[in-house]
Amino acid sequence: MDGKKFRAIDGNVDYSETNLNYVRKVSENDKKTCTFDHSNTVESYYFNEDTEQTQCIMKENAEVNKSHRRTETIPSKTKENSKSNGTKDKIRRVCPALVLTGVVLLFIFTALAVFIWKHNDSNCPNCATENPPHIVLILSDDQGWNDIGWHNSDVLTPNLDRLARQGVILENSYVQPVCTPSRAAILTGKYPFRTGLQWLVVENHQPKFLPTNITILPELLKKSGYTTHIAGKWHLGHCNEDVIPTKRGFDSFLGILKGGGDYYSRSFGGNYDFWRNEDIYFPPDGSYSTDLFTDRAVEIIENNDGKTSPLFLQISYTTPHFPLQVPKTFKDMYPNVTDANRQTYLGMVSSLDYGIGKVVKALERNDYMDNTVFIFLADNGGDLDFGSSNLPLRGDKGDLWEGGTKSVGLVYSPKYLGQSGCIHHGMIHAVDWFSTILDIARYQQEKPDHLDSVSQWKHLKECSGSARSEFVYNIDDDIAKSAALRVDNYKIIVGDPRVYNFNASTFVSSPIDPNNTEVRLFNLQDDPSETKNLASENPLKVKTMLRKLDEYRKNSLPAVNPDYLPKNITHPNGILRLDWC
């Protein structure tokens, strides 16, 4: 073998004692040839580079010793075979590169599949390439836990009941105890104690508003191509034009800027308050405000191009907030209700449901509903002084009790919800709607810093679970001097749960008992009506939850509560001015 030293080792040729720089493996075909052509036992193989022949080293039989082994040679390659084996050699050299390329491509396609899976809705495989869904957010005002058809069959809300049966009922959804903080939480994704709005509401003659340095939901949705409209109640500031809806990201506004108003005269607290964008607006005499908000929503739906322009429509009804007024048709739906306030109040709830039914029909009639996510919430618990009921929950509007903070609600979307007709028990707070709606809208740009909001969209689609295990009901260390926190099933209240007294004649509110320092602890799973204070039995739990409250306090702002200005903040004709702060 031309003086070269070869050693056959396990089917490989060891060139460690030669000037050759690589070891070539014996081909599998040659191995088979050795085995097939010889009945003897094949001990090993090697390949001679000079002769391009494979050497088969064999024993005559298994019993002979190594001195009797012999070598046989597979016949030399013909020219044709040589070409064939040369091609095989090239393939052997190229194979590692091909394998590496395949691995890289497999990684890329896997990453792409994961990205599409994460950004697609499971029952909407083409969502990533389709237009974003239209989003309709409806808020009722002061609607109690026991004032909806699926909680109380005596309440006539057939349209909302139908959406609930075909959608997802929110059975563990929370808001703030009163109007302004709830609306601020939804639109900013921040707890009100982060924005200074933790004490009560924007009062009639108070230069108070949602801070203008905070980016709110409609401003972000416009960046994603949405048209944004609001009809109904604003209640986030009215003392100058820079704080009203059309200066805060909404393309249009029809409704009231303050917290309530007469449903026919549109006057509240001595001011006429009804607007179309930045202009005062006088609807036809005798028109009912709830109907006006509904008609405006229908007008927006019919005038928007649903195929090319995604729509964000917020309808913030004032119903069933006081004053208790409703067309007789709806009041007469409750002939067996003997309490006058309760009868009128329930009529208002049914008028709200009727309006929502008209909005749903407009969405269906204009081919929106096949690509719409419909959200319905109450802004706080029911007001027991004006005909509402929060049973079996304890408490009233304005309270830190469950009756003041737990909201009726539903989500409906034939296209996007994986389940329908189900009850979702996952924990949701008002701040979460900010991130959830941005998720629904497939918003991909930068979000504001320091959000308390988490997206619940995945859990709503699956009708299971929650992205949070705790939330803050409120922290007000300045005026009410009370706070409340929920962690898993436990709730702690520090101070008086009854936050304020409201004087309906003067429209002035005051804290009930800011000197109260009592600590209350409840297990809401075992005791949803908050009847048994467990604080003395669970001092360690109390200590842990108080420590959590202190952590939240680190990034809180003082409660904004400026002095009331004189009542001459109106034009001579009694119309609210927008230039007094």
Side-chain angles (χ1 to χ4, degrees):
M1 304 215 291
D2 301 327
K4 294 184 183 294
K5 297 179 181 179
F6 295 88
R7 288 190 298 149
I9 303 175
D10 296 329
N12 293 319
V13 179
D14 181 2
Y15 287 103
S16 58
E17 300 181 41
T18 73
N19 60 356
L20 297 178
N21 57 9
Y22 63 90
V23 175
R24 176 176 305 229
K25 289 184 178 291
V26 176
S27 73
E28 292 298 323
N29 284 339
D30 286 352
K31 290 181 182 180
K32 291 177 182 177
T33 302
C34 282
T35 304
F36 181 79
D37 291 345
H38 302 279
S39 58
N40 305 303
T41 302
V42 178
E43 185 178 78
S44 58
Y45 320 85
Y46 65 80
F47 183 77
N48 187 321
E49 287 284 341
D50 294 333
T51 63
E52 293 190 340
Q53 293 177 335
T54 299
Q55 307 296 320
C56 305
I57 300 174
M58 295 160 287
K59 293 179 180 178
E60 291 298 330
N61 57 65
E63 302 300 324
V64 297
N65 63 33
K66 292 183 180 179
S67 62
H68 294 128
R69 66 184 174 185
R70 62 187 177 86
T71 301
E72 294 199 12
T73 302
I74 295 176
S76 300
K77 301 173 184 177
T78 62
K79 186 176 182 180
E80 182 177 318
N81 286 339
S82 186
K83 285 182 180 180
S84 174
N85 284 334
T87 301
K88 291 178 183 178
D89 290 342
K90 290 178 182 179
I91 291 174
R92 291 189 197 104
R93 295 187 183 100
V94 172
C95 272
L98 291 176
V99 170
L100 179 61
T101 302
V103 169
V104 171
L105 289 174
L106 180 61
F107 174 80
I108 292 172
F109 285 125
T110 302
L112 181 61
V114 170
F115 176 85
I116 293 173
W117 173 77
K118 289 182 70 175
H119 288 81
N120 262 2
D121 293 292
S122 59
N123 60 325
C124 180
N126 299 317
C127 284
T129 57
E130 293 179 353
N131 289 331
H134 309 292
I135 303 167
V136 177
L137 171 63
I138 295 183
L139 299 178
S140 65
D141 199 347
D142 293 3
Q143 185 174 6
W145 185 255
N146 198 38
D147 299 330
I148 194 72
W150 60 80
H151 287 163
N152 182 352
S153 60
D154 292 333
V155 181
L156 305 178
T157 52
N159 293 295
L160 286 167
D161 290 352
R162 178 178 71 85
L163 296 177
R165 286 194 304 270
Q166 299 172 5
V168 173
I169 294 173
L170 306 177
E171 201 69 1
N172 210 10
S173 171
Y174 286 84
V175 288
Q176 296 301 125
V178 287
C179 310
T180 293
S182 288
R183 297 163 199 275
I186 291 168
L187 292 182
T188 66
K190 298 173 183 285
Y191 290 125
F193 63 85
R194 313 277 199 206
T195 61
L197 296 176
Q198 62 267 47
W199 163 250
L200 218 53
V201 299
V202 176
E203 301 280 15
N204 284 339
H205 302 279
Q206 197 174 34
K208 177 178 175 179
F209 49 85
L210 178 64
T212 55
N213 63 338
I214 298 176
T215 302
I216 67 172
L217 182 61
E219 295 174 296
L220 297 180
L221 290 173
K222 285 179 69 66
K223 292 182 179 181
S224 291
Y226 274 77
T227 59
T228 57
H229 302 271
I230 181 171
K233 172 176 170 176
W234 176 237
H235 210 190
L236 291 171
H238 56 271
C239 61
N240 72 68
E241 286 194 358
D242 291 336
V243 303
I244 66 175
T246 51
K247 298 299 178 67
R248 301 305 309 267
F250 284 102
D251 293 323
S252 77
F253 166 62
L254 182 134
I256 67 172
L257 292 172
K258 299 194 296 181
D262 189 287
Y263 286 83
Y264 294 98
S265 72
R266 262 65 74 173
S267 179
F268 192 64
N271 313 122
Y272 181 85
D273 177 29
F274 207 85
W275 302 81
R276 186 157 190 147
N277 301 324
E278 296 93 20
D279 300 320
I280 202 71
Y281 176 62
F282 295 92
D285 289 344
S287 56
Y288 186 59
S289 290
T290 303
D291 295 338
L292 294 173
F293 302 147
T294 297
D295 292 344
R296 174 57 182 155
V298 171
E299 179 186 20
I300 291 167
I301 292 166
E302 292 181 339
N303 290 337
N304 187 68
D305 186 352
K307 299 298 182 185
T308 60
S309 180
L311 171 66
F312 174 66
L313 174 59
Q314 180 175 330
I315 314 172
S316 297
Y317 285 103
T318 52
T319 306
H321 189 289
F322 75 89
L324 298 178
Q325 297 170 314
V326 71
K328 187 174 183 297
T329 303
F330 296 104
K331 186 175 180 178
D332 289 346
M333 295 170 64
Y334 298 91
N336 297 323
V337 177
T338 57
D339 181 273
N341 278 358
R342 180 67 174 167
Q343 185 186 40
T344 303
Y345 175 91
L346 291 177
M348 295 175 76
V349 172
S350 291
S351 74
L352 166 73
D353 180 80
Y354 177 75
I356 291 173
K358 291 179 69 174
V359 172
V360 170
K361 287 179 181 177
L363 291 168
E364 293 170 343
R365 184 171 63 249
N366 291 278
D367 298 326
Y368 277 80
M369 196 56 93
D370 61 347
N371 191 32
T372 291
V373 178
F374 184 100
I375 303 165
F376 169 75
L377 306 168
D379 67 339
N380 46 250
D383 192 332
L384 304 185
D385 291 333
F386 295 95
S388 181
S389 171
N390 295 315
L391 293 175
L393 304 178
R394 181 178 184 179
D396 195 358
K397 170 187 175 177
D399 291 351
L400 293 174
W401 299 117
E402 294 292 281
T405 56
K406 205 166 187 182
S407 166
V408 295
L410 68 85
V411 178
Y412 171 80
S413 180
K415 182 173 184 176
Y416 295 99
L417 295 181
Q419 297 189 47
S420 62
C422 66
I423 297 176
H424 181 251
H425 293 280
M427 186 187 296
I428 300 178
H429 188 269
V431 294
D432 295 339
W433 293 109
F434 181 89
S435 293
T436 301
I437 289 173
L438 289 180
D439 216 4
I440 294 169
R442 304 172 200 157
Y443 180 83
Q444 298 295 321
Q445 302 181 52
E446 187 176 359
K447 294 180 182 178
D449 295 330
H450 310 301
L451 292 176
D452 297 299
S453 178
V454 293
S455 175
Q456 302 283 3
W457 185 223
K458 172 181 179 291
H459 299 283
L460 291 171
K461 288 187 294 183
E462 296 173 355
C463 195
S464 176
S466 173
R468 68 165 62 249
S469 60
E470 65 184 61
F471 68 85
V472 181
Y473 291 81
N474 200 29
I475 297 175
D476 179 3
D477 294 331
D478 303 300
I479 302 171
K481 299 187 185 302
S482 60
L485 169 72
R486 178 171 175 177
V487 179
D488 297 322
N489 292 320
Y490 282 92
K491 174 181 179 178
I492 192 168
I493 304 175
V494 181
D496 198 324
R498 305 165 302 153
V499 174
Y500 74 100
N501 278 320
F502 174 69
N503 188 320
S505 60
T506 63
F507 293 93
V508 175
S509 301
S510 58
I512 290 180
D513 185 6
N515 297 316
N516 189 315
T517 59
E518 184 178 352
V519 175
R520 297 169 174 86
L521 180 71
F522 304 98
N523 184 326
L524 295 179
Q525 183 174 21
D526 299 336
D527 181 21
S529 299
E530 300 170 287
T531 61
K532 185 178 181 182
N533 185 357
L534 303 175
S536 62
E537 302 174 18
N538 295 271
L540 184 59
K541 176 65 71 174
V542 169
K543 183 178 180 180
T544 301
M545 295 185 74
L546 289 176
R547 190 180 299 121
K548 275 186 173 289
L549 272 173
D550 286 340
E551 287 296 316
Y552 281 107
R553 282 188 171 94
K554 291 180 180 179
N555 295 308
S556 64
L557 294 177
V560 175
N561 189 39
D563 292 336
Y564 286 49
L565 295 182
K567 292 191 176 183
N568 60 356
I569 62 171
T570 62
H571 292 290
N573 58 3
I575 296 171
L576 178 70
R577 285 166 45 191
L578 300 180
D579 60 354
W580 51 277
C581 75

